[in-house]
Amino acid sequence: MYGDQDTIRKILTDSGDVWAVVGLSSNEARAAYRVAAVLQRYGKKIVPVHPRAEAVHGEPGYPSLDAIPFDVDVVDVFVNSDLAGAVADEAVAIGAKAVWFQLGVIDEAAHRRTTAAGLDMVMDRCPAIEIKSLR
């Protein structure tokens, strides 16, 4: 398991409400689209991060994490495992408080680097599933 319940709860309830969703586009068939909608319903401000910088769920998009002109609390990662480590490193660089790798996204070296930098991190879990169990 790559996320104990205390860390999951902390990220979902205490780490802040600004969630950059890396890999989020306007493609309604993608899991990122649905998960972002759930996060919004639970009061999170989602920030779409995708090379096309599309607006999604009424929020403007950005092409990269470092292009976001305000603080981000949590970086939710919807990219392949081989690309996820670089995203985690970017999350550290922008001063995020936590990183969340979605179901199937695992990079143990990135987990070690990210937690060593002081961020909370969860891998191979879905916040849309976990947030529902908190209430």
Side-chain angles (χ1 to χ4, degrees):
M1 182 179 302
Y2 301 106
D4 63 84
Q5 287 302 311
D6 289 339
T7 302
I8 290 168
R9 179 175 296 281
K10 181 179 178 187
I11 293 172
L12 290 171
T13 62
D14 298 333
S15 292
D17 292 329
V18 179
W19 284 56
V21 184
V22 178
L24 176 58
S25 71
S26 60
N27 183 343
E28 295 179 20
R30 303 293 305 227
Y33 188 89
R34 295 185 303 276
V35 169
V38 171
L39 290 171
Q40 273 190 321
R41 282 197 300 276
Y42 280 86
K44 306 300 182 188
K45 174 183 174 57
I46 59 114
V47 182
V49 179
H50 190 280
R52 290 191 302 262
E54 299 174 291
V56 183
H57 298 304
E59 297 292 343
Y62 298 89
S64 62
L65 288 173
D66 63 358
I68 300 170
F70 48 84
D71 291 341
V72 169
D73 299 312
V74 180
V75 176
D76 189 8
V77 182
F78 279 92
V79 300
N80 293 328
S81 295
D82 58 338
L83 302 174
V87 176
D89 295 339
E90 291 172 28
V92 171
I94 66 163
K97 297 174 188 166
V99 174
W100 192 298
F101 282 7
Q102 282 295 324
L103 290 170
V105 181
I106 299 168
D107 182 332
E108 293 180 5
H111 187 274
R112 287 190 298 275
R113 290 191 311 273
T114 303
T115 56
L119 282 70
D120 291 312
M121 186 167 179
V122 171
M123 293 192 302
D124 196 28
R125 302 294 283 267
C126 178
I129 294 169
E130 302 295 338
I131 203 166
K132 292 174 183 178
S133 69
L134 294 179
R135 305 201 186 242

